[in-house]
């Protein structure tokens, strides 16, 4: 009697969409926070460029971040039944929302700055810097929890058979 090798699942499974969509916002939001910190200590000749760079990175990061939240909700419904400790997944989800709300708030403050009198400009810049610094901490912790889910609990990953027979053709 010949045993059938297990079938390799598709790479386009719905729980994998989150892994495909989460890395762009991580990179852009991380760089937006670092650029905002450099903006604070930089000479005035480079501030115009750095300010625009923060705005562009933040806009791309917030939009793609909400896409990652959406795909994360899809992955959550699939993975919560498969992993060993679902509390890590809940905490990852909570920190992702909190972090993205902070980044969205910073983007909102930047947009308010365009329409407010210049007397409030320093307060708004300080508020944006505080939000981006706090959000950077949330981003790092959220990434740590996501890595724990994937590399310690195997969330969203395929576990091949012991002899890897499904890869032999």
């Amino acid at each position: 009697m010949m045993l059938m090798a297990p079938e390799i699942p598709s790479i386009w499974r719905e729980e994998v969409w989150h892994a495909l969509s989460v890395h762009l916002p991580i990179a852009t939001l991380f760089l937006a926070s670092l650029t905002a910190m450099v903006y604070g200590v930089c000479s005035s000749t480079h501030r115009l460029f750095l300010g625009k760079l923060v705005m562009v990175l933040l806009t791309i990061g917030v939009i793609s971040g909400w896409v990652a939240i959406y795909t994360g909700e899809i992955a959550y419904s699939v993975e919560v039944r498969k992993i060993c400790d679902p509390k890590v997944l809940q905490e990852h989800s909570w920190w992702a929302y909190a972090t993205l709300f902070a980044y969205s708030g910073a983007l909102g403050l930047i947009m308010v700055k365009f329409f407010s009198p210049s007397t409030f400009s320093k307060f708004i810049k300080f508020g944006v810097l505080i939000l981006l610094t706090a959000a950077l901490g949330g981003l790092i912790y959220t990434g740590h929890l996501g890595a724990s889910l994937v590399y310690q609990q195997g969330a969203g990953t395929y576990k091949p058979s012991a002899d890897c027979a499904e890869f032999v053709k």
Side-chain angles (χ1 to χ4, degrees):
M1 180 174 158
M2 185 170 171
L3 293 174
M4 297 279 296
E7 187 173 316
I8 301 172
S10 170
I11 193 71
W12 302 110
R13 303 183 316 270
E14 60 185 8
E15 67 269 24
V16 180
W17 296 348
H18 182 63
L20 296 173
S21 66
V22 77
H23 294 97
L24 176 65
I26 290 172
T28 54
L29 295 173
F30 185 82
L31 289 174
S33 289
L34 290 183
T35 305
M37 290 175 192
V38 170
Y39 176 92
V41 296
C42 191
S43 67
S44 60
T45 55
H46 301 296
R47 285 189 171 186
L48 180 63
F49 170 74
L50 292 176
K52 289 181 180 180
L53 183 60
V54 168
M55 176 77 171
V56 169
L57 289 170
L58 205 50
T59 302
I60 293 169
V62 166
I63 292 170
S64 61
W66 285 111
V67 171
I69 289 283
Y70 175 73
T71 59
E73 289 293 333
I74 293 170
Y76 183 98
S77 63
V78 173
E79 293 300 323
V80 74
R81 288 173 258 133
K82 294 180 182 176
I83 59 175
C84 298
D85 187 6
K87 289 180 183 175
V88 177
L89 185 57
Q90 291 170 343
E91 192 174 0
H92 173 70
S93 178
W94 189 92
W95 277 99
Y97 272 104
T99 299
L100 201 52
F101 278 123
Y103 277 116
S104 298
L107 182 60
L109 278 179
I110 289 173
M111 295 197 178
V112 164
K113 184 176 154 273
F114 286 118
F115 303 107
S116 66
S118 62
T119 54
F120 297 119
S121 181
K122 284 189 175 185
F123 295 112
I124 292 174
K125 284 180 183 175
F126 183 71
V128 168
L129 184 60
I130 294 295
L131 279 173
L132 290 179
T133 303
L136 178 61
L139 184 70
I140 291 170
Y141 188 62
T142 303
H144 164 74
L145 292 173
S148 170
L149 287 167
V150 172
Y151 299 113
Q152 291 179 331
Q153 297 192 51
T157 60
Y158 169 68
K159 293 147 193 90
S161 62
D163 61 352
C164 297
E166 62 270 33
F167 292 98
V168 177
K169 295 186 180 189

